Amino acid sequence: MNKKSILSLMRPTGKLHLGHYLGVLTNWINLQEDSEYDCYFGVADWHALTTKFDETDSLKQNTNEVLLDWLSSGIDPEKSNIYLQSLIPETAKLHIYLSMVTPMNWAQRDPTLKDMVKIMKEKGSNEEYSYGLIGYPILMAADILTFNAEFVPVGIDQVAHIEIARDIARRFNNIYKTDLLIEPKPKLTQIPLLKGLDGNKMGKSFHNDIKISDTTEQTTKKIMTGITDRSRLRKTDIGHPDECEVIYPYWEIFAKQEQKEEIKCACEKGEIGCAECKKRLAQIVNEKMNPIREKRKELESDTNKVKEIIYEGSKKARIKARETLEKVESTVMIYR
Ligand code: TRP
Ligand code: SF4
């Protein structure tokens, strides 16, 4: 039985927040439960090196944090292939073959390349961008094509990259008169957009996020700072959940139907103050996240556990990678 492969990678940026959990991880978990698919989920540590080649200490730390978040959230090594990009040498090899057939201007037209160069300049980096960074989309194509993935669950910002991967696969197939490489399709995730506590996009660099790994106290403290209905001054004022910028939308996402209705009603009648409302919300968020956090602590205390899981997962993933590479090399190279 030949299952379709689904693949996605994440750069190791450090501890993940609830936006990642709801927007990415819960979606991956649903996919791993779907028996139609073989799932490959990887940490893109080579991609992190394209811009942070001199920050290897934090790279190691961050890789571990991301994996702890994945595993405690329910990405399951028994059901999915969980791997580390740099433990799949086949991807590096495929990257070489693909780089030969990729016109230079395909890499240069990549819109996020321009963004990344801009970010590096803004950070005051005088470094010229590297050969490796220009290769970002070709490396990403190699990630996908090593496992011949049919679908790639990503956010809208990554779609341009998948397009380049499709173009490269098609060009490879045309040049070598083969149908070996599958043209991957993006699988857009319907993200329930979770705002940061200040009303902006949730993000680590904005200091407005709640981490998966935050404690109960940290979570409650953060939620207490969340923006509410700005026109509401006293707790007996009538509130407007529709104009409550952050807190009511969180109720929408985290609470059960009856709970939402109750809060909405109490707010509209001026029967509940915002402080009390936030306290109750914090409780609900904590109830949802606490089992994950406990599991995370457990994994963390077992020092070699994560490493073992990622080595095993990568070993398992390489079976498929090797299969693809053998076919690619017997197509392209004379001596095999
Ligand atoms: N570029 C992706 C990001 O920044 C990470 C990534 C690397 C990826 N290789 C991939 C995503 C392959 C999907 C498929 O989020
Ligand atoms: Fe928002 Fe709750 Fe305050 Fe109403 S009571 S404005 S829902 S925080």
Side-chain angles (χ1 to χ4, degrees):
M1 192 182 52
N2 239 340
K3 287 193 191 179
K4 291 179 178 171
S5 293
I6 289 220
L7 167 140
S8 198
L9 284 79
M10 208 187 265
R11 268 176 303 159
T13 49
K15 291 181 174 168
L16 302 178
H17 54 61
L18 297 189
H20 296 120
Y21 175 71
L22 294 169
V24 183
L25 297 182
T26 52
N27 179 245
W28 287 8
I29 290 162
N30 287 335
L31 291 168
Q32 89 180 348
E33 302 301 332
D34 191 332
S35 58
E36 230 181 290
Y37 302 121
D38 250 341
C39 293
Y40 293 84
F41 300 125
V43 177
D45 53 348
W46 279 332
H47 276 108
L49 276 186
T50 60
T51 52
K52 304 193 169 175
F53 46 85
D54 54 351
E55 297 174 34
T56 48
D57 284 343
S58 66
L59 176 58
K60 284 173 198 165
Q61 176 71 27
N62 290 345
T63 298
N64 200 48
E65 299 288 4
V66 165
L67 286 167
L68 281 167
D69 284 332
W70 285 12
L71 294 167
S72 54
S73 296
I75 309 286
D76 183 346
E78 302 287 323
K79 296 177 184 159
S80 298
N81 297 276
I82 306 176
Y83 72 96
L84 190 59
Q85 186 185 34
S86 64
L87 290 177
I88 313 290
E90 288 76 14
T91 297
K93 268 187 139 184
L94 185 59
H95 178 237
I96 294 215
Y97 294 115
L98 299 181
S99 72
M100 304 304 169
V101 300
T102 306
M104 190 62 182
N105 64 9
W106 288 13
Q108 284 165 326
R109 81 173 184 219
D110 178 42
T112 57
L113 174 68
K114 290 182 195 129
D115 290 345
M116 280 190 282
V117 171
K118 212 171 95 197
I119 291 167
M120 279 178 76
K121 291 251 161 70
E122 277 165 6
K123 274 202 317 199
S125 168
N126 295 319
E127 309 269 355
E128 276 295 326
Y129 56 86
S130 66
Y131 169 61
L133 181 60
I134 304 183
Y136 194 105
I138 295 96
L139 181 56
M140 192 162 151
D143 286 328
I144 302 167
L145 304 177
T146 307
F147 296 103
N148 248 330
E150 214 146 313
F151 297 107
V152 186
V154 283
I156 191 93
D157 59 313
Q158 297 293 318
V159 170
H161 286 137
I162 316 281
E163 285 302 322
I164 296 179
R166 289 176 65 85
D167 290 347
I168 294 176
R170 192 177 313 129
R171 188 166 156 85
F172 181 99
N173 289 344
N174 279 336
I175 290 172
Y176 300 111
K177 314 230 168 344
T178 174
D179 54 5
L180 177 56
L181 298 181
I182 294 175
E183 290 180 33
K185 291 186 259 314
K187 193 171 171 61
L188 272 183
T189 6
Q190 272 320 322
I191 302 174
L193 196 63
L194 189 72
K195 287 190 202 170
L197 292 159
D198 59 0
N200 297 311
K201 185 173 182 253
M202 185 175 276
K204 175 179 163 182
S205 47
F206 309 127
H207 303 289
N208 64 359
D209 62 350
I210 302 172
K211 308 279 190 221
I212 293 176
S213 51
D214 276 345
T215 61
T216 313
E217 295 73 30
Q218 285 168 322
T219 305
T220 306
K221 215 167 137 193
K222 286 182 178 179
I223 288 178
M224 295 312 285
T225 69
I227 307 275
T228 61
D229 172 359
R230 292 178 198 264
S231 69
R232 200 171 184 218
L233 302 176
R234 270 153 301 184
K235 71 176 180 190
T236 48
D237 286 351
I238 284 169
H240 308 87
D242 294 342
E243 285 160 40
C244 178
E245 247 186 77
V246 175
I247 299 299
Y248 192 70
Y250 274 45
W251 277 99
E252 289 277 3
I253 288 172
F254 287 97
K256 296 200 189 75
Q257 194 59 32
E258 320 87 76
Q259 295 170 311
K260 288 183 230 176
E261 275 163 20
E262 196 190 324
I263 280 296
K264 188 161 197 250
C265 190
C267 172
E268 281 170 343
K269 288 186 186 153
E271 286 173 1
I272 185 172
C274 291
E276 175 62 23
C277 174
K278 288 173 177 176
K279 255 186 234 157
R280 287 199 210 166
L281 173 70
Q283 208 170 0
I284 289 173
V285 173
N286 280 325
E287 266 164 33
K288 187 173 174 75
M289 300 310 295
N290 279 348
I292 293 173
R293 291 160 174 169
E294 273 158 34
K295 198 163 162 205
R296 199 181 192 280
K297 278 236 175 68
E298 217 174 279
L299 277 167
E300 236 178 324
S301 64
D302 194 347
T303 22
N304 282 323
K305 186 81 182 159
V306 171
K307 208 169 174 181
E308 269 166 34
I309 291 175
I310 198 77
Y311 272 81
E312 269 311 303
S314 304
K315 205 165 115 191
K316 197 172 92 188
R318 281 189 72 190
I319 298 170
K320 175 80 180 263
R322 249 182 260 126
E323 224 174 80
T324 312
L325 255 288
E326 265 167 34
K327 287 184 194 152
V328 165
E329 294 202 300
S330 56
T331 304
V332 179
M333 306 311 281
I334 299 169
Y335 296 111
R336 258 292 312 174

